[in-house]
Amino acid sequence: MTAARTTSEVHFQIMWNRLVSVLEEQALTLVRTAFSTSVREAGDLSAGVFDRQGRMVAQAVTGTPGHVNTMAAAVPHFINDIGPERIYEGDVYLTNDPWKGTGHLHDITVTTPIFVNGEVIGFFACTAHVVDIGGRGYGPDAREIYEEGFRIPIMKWIEQGRLNSDLVNLIRNNVREEDQVLGDIHGLAACNETGRRRLLEMLGEFDMTDLDELADFIFDRTSKATMSALAPVQKGVYRNEMEVDGYNETITLAVELTVADDGMHADFTGTSPTSSYGINVPIVYAQAYFTYGMLVALAPELPNNYASLLPFTVSAPAGVILNGEDPDPVSVRHVIGHFVTDLCLGAIAQALPDIVPAEGAGALWNFQASARGADPTEMLPPVELLMFNSGGTGARPSLDGLTATAFPSGVMTMSAEATEQIGPIVIWRKEIRENSGGAGKYRGGLGQVIEIGPADGYQFEFSAMFDRVDNPARGRAGGENGAPGKVYLDDGSPFATKGKQTIPADRRLIMELPGGGGFGDPAERDPEATANDKAQGYVT
Amino acid sequence: MGTRIGADVGGTFTDIVIEMADGSFESTKVLTTHEGPEQGILEGISLVAAEHNVSMSDVEQIIHGTTLATNALIERRGAHTALVTTEGFRDVIETRTEGRFEQYDLNIVLPTPLIERKDRYVVPERINARGEVLIPFDEAAARAVIDQIADRGYEAVAVGFIHSYRNADHERRFRDLLVERLPDVGVSISSEVSPQMREFERFNTVCANAYVQPLMASYLLRLKAELKARGATCPLYLIHSGGGLVSVETAAAFPVRLIESGPAGGAIFAADLAARYGRKSVLSYDMGGTTAKIAIIEDYTPQTAKTFEVARTTRFKKGSGMPISIPVIEMIEIGAGGGSIASVDALGQIRIGPHSAGSEPGPAAYDLGGTEPTVTDANVELGRLHPSTFGAKDITLSPERAAAAIRSAVGEPLGMDDHLAAIGIAEVVDENMTNAARVHAVENGKDLHGFSMVAFGGGAPLHATRLMDKLGLDELFVPPGAGVGSAIGFLRAPFAYEAVKSFYTRTDQFDFVAVNQVLADLAIEAETFVRQGTDAELVVERQVSMRYKGQGWEIPVRLEAGAFDEFAADALAAVFTKAYEEFFGRAIDDLAIEAVSWSVRVASVQVQPQTLELIEPGKTISTTVRRPMFDPVSGTDVDAGVMHRDDMAPGDVTYGPGVIVESQTTTVLASHHQAVMQTDGTLLITRTKLIPQTNRDDA
């Protein structure tokens, strides 16, 4: 190895670090300024830098896996749809197309070309969930994408430094909370601009004029590491099926996972057909949660980039729920999409029995309601409320599951006090749900019990979307199932787990969130752990 | 001013600094005595006092900062503590944020709550977001809980009820009942310890306070008594995390405020230097054996925050520790110290830390049994540290051991020779610190352009010139006493107390009467604490944290003096808009603005330090003592001069490449740096020429 070659090795390592740091800064700024609850509490955003072919070189590590390779696949669409000959210095592009972006209209992806000496050397892209996108509002009730909101094909937000004021005007007239939405789009564009300037500084510091060599270095290193992480996995075909509640009928999710020398492929044949509600999943989103599951099990230290994502491919027949296509409604694609991780982990568990946990609660139990005055004559202003809540995760092969913790989503919950400051709501109870973790040598994570009611003369219009009520999280290796979820009103009257309903002014909604499955034979549980469960009241 | 003593008890060393009547400093370092930390302090004070003929009765003030409270939390060595909370909220400190701080770890272990579920009790009661009672306090149930507390022999009780920051009646009522029945049990209530909104943070803070309170109170009383027994007649004060002084009594009641007091001293040390040299924007950079800490200082005042995290369990990762909601000097801390261990990951990338070789076994070069390569070992291999000039007593550096450790853990896996591997280690750790500084600046809405750097701590002067170049800063100050900077900083701190309270209101429905009341109450609270320590003139600063409706993060907005009237909302909105623009580049039109938390800081007026003018470079000092050293500017080994700091007189200038050595640290100059000795013994380092930048038009 020559001196020059090895010095450049150190340089490349430094630049790789620097790139990730630049992206972290961008992501952080987005989180701080975002109006969307899911961005700031869940890190529902992404920021990445791409080479001139649109291959992702590096990405910020953010809260949710959902954007991981959805955004990674987006930039080639931008290059193609804008047309290489129409890409100018000072341009900024955007889209919210679910199939070219990140899976639903609420996510806006903004892409900015980077020019050096008049030539495109790469792109910055970032994505964030916005507060509103028009249409029916956020929820599963649309029957076609057209009802779900304003759809922006890949187009120019800024051309050669000039803002596209027609597009601004269109957005302003098609969404609720237009100041917040436009504020977030400007924020995304500013983010790319900061990244672009920092990248140019870095290139100057290291005496480079493009990203090509650095990208090759990163892809080469990542590819080798990914392959060596996959190498120990027994080659073969692994299958799994899982039933979840779905919107109005049980949904079967099926996967056939093929482990080959050069990667892993998930085929979703056998999965239930698409739904007439907005819970369909664009396949790129299913791919994101499949890839997340495999990386978290096999190669947790690997960065997300073109080379680490390349070996993970998916396919599905047309018309299944994990391959929602235009114009299927896809607004709340995360509800089913989040189960893809457990589905695929369940398949690979046959090859990795000491790594894969039992099934968990999976889907979030979000409380998303519109508070409306109970008495229309009082003219109380409507208030939108949103809380993220998580059940228990599956027990691990050598550890208990996590209590009231999101997986695979990276969501965090909001403070009850802060939520009550913002809207007419009282959270009467938010506590661990005893006895809800599946028994096992290692116990499933416990769910939680939440009791919520309207305050100050309001009632709630509530669009329920609760899963794992009919289909609990299954235990693994002899572990028992987690407790299924339950929903009802405090006077004992039933509450449907799906669909629009009203919570009257004087009632409280009680949600008992599902627990995670157990791992291993309960008889083998360490007696000390059993005693501690009793002492703490986790098991009564 | 008479003789004063600063005592900083850290995890490894206890630093003692004596400021003589003439303003000069003497210092010593002794090992921290973990069994009884007061023993180390007393030993250190006796040592340095005897050496410099200081009589204890001549000492006017002793100022103390300690990691004892922090360590008690990390090591879980606190009191047997119960938490009493609102029925329905027993598990707030256990379910935390419901998130995973590490997304890519199936075997993640979340931090165990400070108080286990079996020690958490509930009382029926409920107050709403406006402070109104929804469910009255159930006195019979409270008495039943107190019976259980008595039966189970708890030493301390934390009380945290929902929305108590808004209405503390129920918490106070519970405390009264408890004190009446169990007068010897320590009790902390969240509305006093930390009246800030967000139950997880507030409950955790009150738990932490109750948990360490018995331990800290008894320690402080012992220390006070021992000092008296040794003839000290002067008062003892404690430095708190916000960088001010409080009385022993306040510290004993609110020991949670002592967390991170050591690092706070460091930031004050840097702020004092900033004031002396009239530098309004300063980056404070402190590097020790296990971590590096970076803080932003503007207008001679360190940035503060209202909440922070201690006892991180995993790689200093955000979310892996315990949130504490009290005013604190804000800094970013990363696992980059002299003892941080270098390794190679699955991608063939060099990684530094967070594991540290600590002081035992220490870096491989110490030859005390350490075999893993550390940052210090790389500095030895690169010629920046040398056996002939290494200051630490009892340690003879072994370049061979350093090279061998680097070779086996980094060089061989990457096919690099020892030297190149060491370059890689040094560059990666410098880059990590640079990135941390940048991210910290972004988090605070600052652009580091135009900042000056102040470097202290045993490790910082070795790396500071590289950081300065990487960050594009033009000035670096390396003050004397860099090894005991925190303890010196203690002596520069004002008496100060910041009182914080959440009170939610909006500019489009601004409740100015209530806000005036909140601010008045906070001012009285803060002044009461400060008056326990000083009769000096006081200065009052008021702040509010604000955001646009719909956002989740607030930014701090400074308030002008005076009460609010019915026209205040517009003015406040204008001030926020301006602050927001400074933070994020652009404001947003037409949105309501929310105010969340209000704070009042009362501090004694400090005697402004005498301003110093920079001295023009005078006599050039050169040296015949030379050794080879790696120079990152030219990328080659160069012939570097070895200067002794003590040999430089004010005005003397020396040019890189070279090192300036002293007993506690070594300052490294690359080939384009110059150092000018200032009148107060500070080294001012600048570049002799611009950083070479590629001119892309020529390329």
Side-chain angles (χ1 to χ4, degrees), chain A residues 32, chain B residues 196 241-242 257 302-309 324-331 440 444 498 500 543 545 556 599:
Chain A
R32 292 266 159 129
Chain B
Q196 295 194 60
S241 50
R257 292 218 178 212
Q303 291 239 316
T304 57
K306 304 284 182 278
T307 179
F308 64 104
E309 211 180 346
I324 300 288
S325 299
I326 51 161
V328 63
I329 289 184
E330 185 161 42
M331 52 186 78
H440 187 61
N444 288 284
E498 185 172 355
V500 188
Q543 234 186 34
S545 55
S599 68

Side-chain angles (χ1 to χ4, degrees), chain A residues 18 40 292 417 420 538, chain B residues 94 103 126 202 431 550:
Chain A
R18 182 84 61 90
R40 59 169 202 254
Y292 170 73
E417 289 177 343
E420 291 187 8
Y538 298 141
Chain B
E94 181 161 349
Q103 298 303 321
R126 186 66 151 85
R202 189 175 70 256
E431 188 69 13

Side-chain angles (χ1 to χ4, degrees), chain A residues 146-213:
Chain A
Y146 308 108
E147 297 171 51
E148 293 191 324
F150 187 61
R151 183 163 167 186
I152 308 164
I154 288 176
M155 60 191 295
K156 292 194 177 184
W157 172 250
I158 296 176
E159 183 170 62
Q160 298 185 64
R162 279 189 311 277
L163 183 66
N164 182 344
S165 51
D166 291 337
L167 180 55
V168 173
N169 215 356
L170 276 169
I171 293 171
R172 189 172 280 286
N173 283 279
N174 275 282
V175 304
R176 307 170 188 92
E177 304 289 357
E178 66 272 15
D179 293 313
Q180 297 189 358
V181 172
L182 289 168
D184 277 346
I185 298 176
H186 284 301
L188 287 163
C191 236
N192 282 350
E193 178 55 22
T194 308
R196 190 187 69 87
R197 272 193 256 124
R198 290 285 310 283
L199 179 70
L200 293 182
E201 278 169 28
M202 181 183 107
L203 293 177
E205 185 182 330
F206 291 96
D207 200 9
M208 289 165 55
T209 53
D210 63 43
L211 280 172
D212 298 350
E213 259 188 290

Side-chain angles (χ1 to χ4, degrees), chain B residues 85-328:
Chain B
T85 187
T86 306
E87 189 177 50
F89 292 88
R90 182 180 177 188
D91 302 314
V92 166
I93 62 166
E94 181 161 349
T95 56
R96 301 169 58 85
T97 64
E98 301 183 22
R100 291 168 293 131
F101 55 82
E102 173 62 86
Q103 298 303 321
Y104 283 84
D105 181 4
L106 282 175
N107 292 317
I108 185 172
V109 176
L110 298 173
T112 321
L114 197 56
I115 298 176
E116 292 182 288
R117 194 165 198 260
K118 63 181 164 60
D119 300 321
R120 304 196 293 255
Y121 300 86
V122 296
V123 174
E125 69 84 34
R126 186 66 151 85
I127 284 165
N128 74 7
R130 288 191 297 270
E132 300 151 354
V133 176
L134 293 179
I135 299 176
F137 180 69
D138 185 336
E139 206 152 310
R143 288 182 197 279
V145 166
I146 292 169
D147 287 342
Q148 285 179 285
I149 288 170
D151 289 349
R152 297 204 187 165
Y154 291 101
E155 300 161 281
V157 174
V159 184
F161 291 160
I162 292 288
H163 292 303
S164 66
Y165 60 92
R166 196 70 174 77
N167 177 348
D169 289 353
H170 293 179
E171 282 192 359
R172 291 201 193 110
R173 187 71 198 123
F174 186 88
R175 176 179 59 188
D176 293 348
L177 291 175
L178 185 84
V179 170
E180 192 182 292
R181 169 85 193 279
L182 301 168
D184 297 331
V185 172
V187 56
S188 303
I189 64 174
S190 81
S191 50
E192 267 186 16
V193 174
S194 168
Q196 295 194 60
M197 184 176 80
R198 293 194 174 95
E199 64 277 13
F200 169 42
E201 289 81 356
R202 189 175 70 256
F203 290 0
N204 207 75
T205 306
V206 73
C207 288
N209 197 70
Y211 185 75
V212 300
Q213 204 250 336
L215 177 82
M216 291 304 293
S218 87
Y219 160 69
L220 291 171
L221 290 179
R222 279 200 320 270
L223 176 62
K224 211 175 159 176
E226 290 273 0
L227 284 168
K228 204 168 177 185
R230 308 226 173 173
T233 50
C234 66
L236 169 69
Y237 297 110
L238 274 291
I239 185 125
H240 59 68
S241 50
L245 305 183
V246 288
S247 67
V248 171
E249 291 69 31
T250 305
F254 300 111
V256 74
R257 292 218 178 212
L258 303 182
I259 292 170
E260 297 294 336
S261 53
I268 300 166
F269 177 62
D272 180 62
L273 184 131
R276 271 186 282 141
Y277 284 97
R279 293 300 186 270
K280 284 187 173 295
S281 302
V282 161
L283 197 66
S284 160
Y285 164 44
D286 174 5
M287 183 178 177
T290 52
T291 66
K293 301 178 195 83
I294 291 162
I296 289 173
I297 293 163
E298 285 196 309
D299 297 330
Y300 322 133
T301 311
Q303 291 239 316
T304 57
K306 304 284 182 278
T307 179
F308 64 104
E309 211 180 346
V310 289
R312 286 187 176 156
T313 54
T314 306
R315 293 188 282 173
F316 297 94
K317 205 133 175 139
K318 251 184 208 174
S320 69
M322 271 182 251
I324 300 288
S325 299
I326 51 161
V328 63

